[in-house]
Amino acid sequence: MSLISLVVLLEALTMNASMISTGLPGIMAYFHTNQGGWIQTAFLLVAAVISPTLGKIADMFGKRRVLLICVFVSAAGSLVSALAPNFILLLTGRAMSSLLVTCLFLGYSLIRDVYPPKTVAMAAALATSGMGVVSVATPFLTGWLMDGFGWRSLFWFFTVILVITGIGIRLFTDESSFRLRSKIDFVGAGLLGAGIGAILVAVSFGVDWGWTDGKTLGLFLVGIVMLSLWIYSARVVKAPLIDLRLLTRRSIGLTAIAAGTAYGSTTVSSTILPLMSMTSASFGLGYGFSIDAKGFAAIQSPLGVAQVIGGVLVGIMIGRGLTPRVLLALGSSLLAVGSLVIMSGMDTRWIVLVGAIITGIGTGLAYSSIPNVQFSTVPPQLQASTASIVATSQSMLGAILPVAVFTLLNSNVARVVDGVTLYSANGMKFAWIGAAGIALISVVAVLFVPRKIIEVTVQNDAVGDLTVIGEPNDVSSIAPSGQSAEVDPPTATHRAVATTR
């Protein structure tokens, strides 16, 4: 029962993005808003800021305890969204539900800590493989809920599922005995979240308010000041939310960019695909198939199957010698190609389906390659820090980019019908070009990620003086003092981990 509860919890996170994206057109129409990007942004932005902090709190006070708090707060957030009488309260619920993201790494960590060693690998595999299966069934469940009960039923569904899984975890899963003393950067988290949030609000409403309006400029200024203070804070505190020094390392900084932009591209495409497909063709906008949520399942389900196939291919191709860098570059390239294919035939259903399948394969390749790129190019002693930075980059860019794309769409409005904003064909094309461009940034970034980790000999000719024998250009990638170097007297030779092209 413990494993079933944890698997269902992780499935709920996987289902959340696709189900809410499918409900996006109905939500926007109900609240007469053109700020649909914020439905995903409120979820991912809060997750990006709060997840590292909650991870540290879990290490200090117990992983199951924090996991349960996250589950029940997420359930409460879904309930708030289900009952929301206005768009602001719906976004508040989405922000509360963002704690579900933290459940991902806490769930895996709890499996590692409390399950018998012989069962850990199988339990983790079952938790992971289940995520692929659900991507196929979710579109049909979404269609049944949406068409039968309306968009609020999606949030009711998550409320019930999360309460049940929370009770299951409470009854059948033990608490981890591991504890860690650590400092928590609450100030950094607040500054980063407030800074990005202020800028995103300015970007979102700049089209309506005017780019030179006092509110727009004021929010830009507040955001810049907050982010500047966050950068200063990250440099002076002992345990910052994000260690900015690590981002200067090529293997870490470029991996974070490549992973974040790949994830951002998929977030954009998954947000605008249902919006485009479910628009009525009778409006004559040059896109849309007049389909309901069940009809959209016929597009989204093959995309989910393709995503599973892409993930499986990574395991096969890495086993046959292809490097994770190449596979991530291939996956991101397919994301760009799929977006451009969809753009080329926005009014032709089979072309959109082909583009969606290409995007699905690219998503599977990219998502499965990202951790392998990290494992193969980052020194072991920096893996945990890198994983946190990469996850934050994915959530941050996943939160920021949909708002940017909706700003682009809101600059290309065809007309408003009964309070519902309809975008022009050019606006929709620009959105798909944006998704493709974001994916191409991932391709470029990953191609410059160092190929592998090598051992570099560093000799200490005098105290504090190191002479590098090997790749001088890679000195910047040597792990921090005290983490990787060791002295072998009497030659005083240091062994340090470095990266190479």
Side-chain angles (χ1 to χ4, degrees), residues 196-249:
I196 293 179
I199 291 175
L200 287 180
V201 171
V203 170
S204 296
F205 293 94
V207 174
D208 298 326
W209 294 343
W211 295 109
T212 59
D213 183 83
K215 295 190 293 293
T216 306
L217 296 177
L219 284 169
F220 273 125
L221 179 61
V222 169
I224 292 170
V225 170
M226 290 288 187
L227 291 178
S228 299
L229 290 173
W230 169 69
I231 292 172
Y232 173 77
S233 171
R235 291 179 178 275
V236 298
V237 300
K238 290 185 178 180
L241 181 70
I242 299 174
D243 190 343
L244 296 179
R245 293 171 299 178
L246 293 178
L247 288 175
T248 64
R249 300 177 184 279

Side-chain angles (χ1 to χ4, degrees), residues 37-304:
W38 277 96
I39 293 174
Q40 296 291 40
T41 295
F43 185 84
L44 292 172
L45 179 59
V46 175
V49 173
I50 203 169
S51 288
T53 301
L54 288 174
K56 287 188 177 182
I57 293 174
D59 287 334
M60 296 169 65
F61 300 105
K63 294 171 184 174
R64 190 191 70 159
R65 180 180 300 173
V66 175
L67 177 65
L68 288 173
I69 291 172
C70 292
V71 170
F72 288 117
V73 171
S74 298
S78 296
L79 179 61
V80 169
S81 295
L83 297 173
N86 56 60
F87 193 60
I88 296 299
L89 273 180
L90 183 135
L91 295 183
T92 301
R94 289 294 287 162
M96 294 169 63
S97 297
S98 69
L99 271 66
L100 189 59
V101 176
T102 308
C103 296
L104 179 63
F105 63 83
L106 286 181
Y108 284 127
S109 185
L110 202 55
I111 287 173
R112 181 193 62 198
D113 289 355
V114 305
Y115 279 37
K118 292 183 179 180
T119 66
V120 168
M122 178 60 70
L126 288 173
T128 304
S129 62
M131 290 182 174
V133 174
V134 80
S135 64
V136 179
T138 297
F140 298 100
L141 172 62
T142 307
W144 175 69
L145 288 172
M146 278 284 297
D147 296 340
F149 308 98
W151 61 266
R152 293 185 187 273
S153 65
L154 303 179
F155 295 106
W156 281 112
F157 170 79
F158 285 111
T159 302
V160 173
I161 287 294
L162 291 174
V163 169
I164 293 173
T165 55
I167 293 172
I169 292 168
R170 175 65 180 83
L171 294 176
F172 301 107
T173 303
D174 296 330
E175 176 62 279
S176 170
S177 60
F178 295 98
R179 295 292 184 273
L180 175 69
R181 290 184 178 180
S182 180
K183 293 184 177 180
I184 302 172
D185 185 15
F186 289 113
V187 173
L191 290 172
L192 179 61
I196 293 179
I199 291 175
L200 287 180
V201 171
V203 170
S204 296
F205 293 94
V207 174
D208 298 326
W209 294 343
W211 295 109
T212 59
D213 183 83
K215 295 190 293 293
T216 306
L217 296 177
L219 284 169
F220 273 125
L221 179 61
V222 169
I224 292 170
V225 170
M226 290 288 187
L227 291 178
S228 299
L229 290 173
W230 169 69
I231 292 172
Y232 173 77
S233 171
R235 291 179 178 275
V236 298
V237 300
K238 290 185 178 180
L241 181 70
I242 299 174
D243 190 343
L244 296 179
R245 293 171 299 178
L246 293 178
L247 288 175
T248 64
R249 300 177 184 279
R250 214 157 38 104
S251 57
I252 297 176
L254 290 175
T255 298
I257 293 172
T261 47
Y263 187 82
S265 178
T266 62
T267 304
V268 169
S269 61
S270 66
T271 301
I272 60 178
L273 182 59
L275 188 64
M276 182 193 78
S277 301
M278 296 169 72
T279 298
S280 175
S282 64
F283 292 127
L285 298 172
Y287 64 86
F289 309 121
S290 305
I291 57 177
D292 56 15
K294 289 180 182 176
F296 182 65
I299 296 175
Q300 192 177 29
S301 186
L303 188 155

